[in-house]
Amino acid sequence: MDLSTFLYFLVASVLLTIAPGPDIMYLLAKSLADGARSGIALAFGLCTGLIFHTTLVIIGVAAVIQQSPTAFAVLKYAGAAYLLYLAWGAFHAQGDLKLNTVNKSASYFKLYRRGVIMNVLNPKVLLFFLAFLPQFVNLNSDSVSLQIAFLGFIFGLQTLIVFSLVAVCAGKVRDYILNIKNFNKIMGYVQGIVLIGISLALIIS
């Protein structure tokens, strides 16, 4: 891969990452509600999930799932069900949030695990990688798998950096708006609504 192709891939990846989407919207809501560290833990989980999708693209499972309506449907509805479960928890947990404190009800590891599961159970990420990564690969090369692995790593790395910056910025903003009456209660509802929106998008897509 030449430098110009790599730079084009990097720019395209960053633009796709910062575009409004379910992952970044939920990350923003979580960071506003629970602080930057919680957002960064979630970001690490979401980006770890990208390793799973990159691996599937490399071994060709993604193509099989794309051609199998049943496999795609199972993954899609499993992901939607998990997100609805998280939304239910967000709606019912918001009453336990305390003003002026970071919500510690969910450990950083649990947030990390949540990010991994959210990403792994999202078939759109899988199909996106299947369509996106090969565009920057020299298919005539003997190292196609290595190229895809490298591109997946770079995409995940820049996503982690962007998501972490979003979490830090949201955490800073949180410090200023935390004194708004019922702020944490409102953010609990926001998280729930965002998660329901993501799950509905999976179901109807």
Side-chain angles (χ1 to χ4, degrees), residues 3-148:
L3 180 60
S4 60
T5 301
F6 173 76
L7 291 177
Y8 177 63
F9 169 79
L10 185 60
V11 171
S13 298
V14 172
L15 291 176
L16 288 167
T17 301
I18 63 177
D23 286 350
I24 200 167
M25 292 301 294
Y26 182 57
L27 174 74
L28 181 60
K30 175 56 68 176
S31 300
L32 285 171
D34 294 344
R37 292 184 179 181
S38 294
I40 292 174
L42 179 65
F44 267 95
L46 291 169
C47 293
T48 300
L50 297 178
I51 298 175
F52 171 78
H53 294 298
T54 301
T55 303
L56 289 184
V57 172
I58 291 174
I59 64 178
V61 173
V64 174
I65 293 178
Q66 186 182 36
Q67 296 299 320
S68 173
T70 300
F72 181 83
V74 169
L75 187 61
K76 179 172 69 172
Y77 291 122
Y82 179 70
L83 293 173
L84 287 174
Y85 166 76
L86 293 180
W88 181 87
F91 281 125
H92 286 77
Q94 50 83 23
D96 299 328
L97 295 173
K98 298 181 182 297
L99 195 64
N100 294 327
T101 61
V102 174
N103 177 27
K104 296 298 184 181
S105 61
S107 68
Y108 296 137
F109 175 75
K110 287 182 178 179
L111 288 171
Y112 169 81
R113 183 178 60 190
R114 178 181 301 181
V116 173
I117 296 174
M118 285 179 62
N119 195 284
V120 167
L121 292 181
N122 188 347
K124 287 189 174 181
V125 178
L126 179 62
L127 296 182
F128 166 75
F129 264 37
L130 182 64
F132 183 66
L133 296 183
Q135 304 301 320
F136 302 90
V137 170
N138 181 2
L139 298 179
N140 296 321
S141 171
D142 294 330
S143 58
V144 171
S145 296
L146 184 60
Q147 292 181 64
I148 293 177

